[in-house]
Amino acid sequence: MPIFGTSILSFIPAWTLEGRSFAIKKTAEYGFDMLEISLPASLDFDAKETKKQLDQYGIQGRLSLNLPTNCHIPLYPENAIALISKAIDKVGEMNGDFLGGVLHSAIGTFTGKPCTADERVIVRQVFTELSAYAKKQNITLGIEPINRYESYVFTAAQEVLQMIEEINTQNIGLHLDTFHMNIEERNFYDPIIAAGDRLKHVHITESDRGMTGEGNVHWDDFFKALAKINYQGPLVLENFSSEITALVGPTSLWRPSKYNSEELAKGSLLFMKEMVAKWYNN
């Protein structure tokens, strides 16, 4: 069965020493098995102490990273390699085996044109080098395509899968997010089937970032496909409540949320479990 996880964004807007204990405690209290920790771009993150606290609560941890502006791969490949390599080291310090997130580009950085052939060569070269570096620590990289309003480099699953095939590597996989799929993919079934065992990480979020099951995501198609490929990895909740006021600007929560963060987390976890029970037991 898949692993049920949530993001730190269910509890805190960004990783801090003060928020760490709260997020880990609430993850366990609400019944999740895993906490995805979005690394700060500074990589000011005590991996060993965090792992210790996760273990105390019986919670697994996974790290993700979204590239800052000065690490946008087509423009600053060396910066990106340096930062992602350090993030890989943080995963190693946690005895982890995975780093996900928007590793291909800086969110909100555009040229006004589609990704060029030359830019794709640069991206491929960067991930060829990073794949070799991560392999030394038995770590897999999960690349998350995001919607056209946030990036132009990788916006759909097939683009990531094509690059993986071109590199011909086993330790780069696909990190899918249902919010972005709802915008960019033609359906929720085919990309998962195409990915197969290259699907390594999943963000579960409704079309409006609210309660799962109350928006436009075709959840039955999505979970049917996951069951078809026998996906056993994490299903990580990533929806947001305006109750956490620091998230309003970064996540464009311009209208008050219908639910507070606890209601969102608990309700969405129940929904995920119901969908897994429905489709994995068929």
Side-chain angles (χ1 to χ4, degrees):
M1 301 293 278
I3 300 163
F4 297 102
T6 191
S7 164
I8 62 168
L9 300 178
S10 290
F11 315 108
I12 55 177
W15 190 254
T16 62
L17 286 176
E18 297 77 18
R20 177 176 65 193
S21 297
F22 178 76
I24 293 173
K25 180 180 178 181
K26 289 297 182 182
T27 298
E29 180 184 319
Y30 291 174
F32 291 97
D33 305 311
M34 171 180 283
L35 178 64
E36 180 187 322
I37 299 165
S38 303
L39 289 168
S42 65
L43 296 189
D44 182 12
F45 174 75
D46 189 334
K48 292 182 179 179
E49 181 59 30
T50 299
K51 178 66 163 61
K52 181 179 178 180
Q53 288 195 17
L54 288 165
D55 289 345
Q56 287 174 350
Y57 283 91
I59 298 296
Q60 298 179 46
R62 266 195 170 184
L63 301 185
S64 62
L65 175 70
N66 296 337
L67 295 185
T69 303
N70 68 348
C71 290
H72 182 68
I73 289 181
L75 299 178
Y76 310 106
E78 292 182 0
N79 288 359
I81 289 171
L83 182 68
I84 297 172
S85 295
K86 291 177 182 177
I88 290 169
D89 292 340
K90 292 292 184 180
V91 175
E93 290 174 22
M94 276 187 64
N95 297 321
D97 61 2
F98 177 85
L99 175 69
V102 186
L103 300 172
H104 52 82
S105 59
I107 298 174
T109 295
F110 294 94
T111 63
K113 299 178 182 179
C115 194
T116 67
D118 287 345
E119 287 178 315
R120 292 200 183 280
V121 168
I122 293 170
V123 173
R124 187 167 63 246
Q125 289 172 338
V126 165
F127 280 106
T128 299
E129 184 170 336
L130 290 170
S131 171
Y133 186 79
K135 187 177 182 179
K136 296 175 182 177
Q137 300 185 59
N138 295 315
I139 291 170
T140 295
L141 304 177
I143 301 174
E144 179 184 7
I146 58 175
N147 71 78
R148 67 188 69 190
Y149 307 108
E150 297 185 86
S151 181
Y152 69 100
V153 177
F154 286 142
T155 60
Q158 189 55 47
E159 296 169 337
V160 176
L161 294 174
Q162 180 179 339
M163 187 197 71
I164 294 171
E165 290 178 2
E166 291 169 350
I167 296 176
N168 190 27
T169 181
Q170 298 300 313
N171 70 321
I172 295 182
L174 179 64
H175 170 175
L176 281 178
D177 183 310
T178 55
F179 177 82
H180 302 294
M181 290 180 72
N182 186 60
I183 297 171
E184 298 297 342
E185 306 289 356
R186 292 183 178 179
N187 60 62
F188 289 88
Y189 185 85
D190 292 336
I192 294 171
I193 300 302
D197 61 7
R198 290 171 294 187
L199 181 61
K200 303 299 183 182
H201 196 76
V202 173
H203 278 169
I204 299 289
T205 179
E206 192 49 89
S207 56
D208 63 350
R209 296 289 196 187
M211 185 70 76
T212 49
E214 295 186 359
N216 295 322
V217 173
H218 295 186
W219 291 111
D220 281 313
D221 291 344
F222 182 77
F223 278 93
K224 180 181 179 181
L226 291 178
K228 180 73 173 180
I229 67 168
N230 194 29
Y231 176 74
Q232 300 291 315
L235 302 174
V236 176
L237 181 64
E238 195 186 49
N239 52 16
F240 317 125
S241 172
S242 59
E243 177 190 49
I244 304 176
T245 55
L247 282 176
V248 169
T251 59
S252 302
L253 293 173
W254 309 130
R255 299 184 303 277
S257 301
K258 182 178 178 181
Y259 301 97
N260 64 34
S261 57
E262 181 174 352
E263 291 167 337
L264 269 182
K266 290 182 175 179
S268 294
L269 175 59
L270 178 61
F271 178 82
M272 288 193 293
K273 288 184 174 181
E274 289 174 346
M275 294 302 290
V276 166
K278 176 179 180 179
W279 286 106
Y280 276 70
N281 293 330
N282 280 350

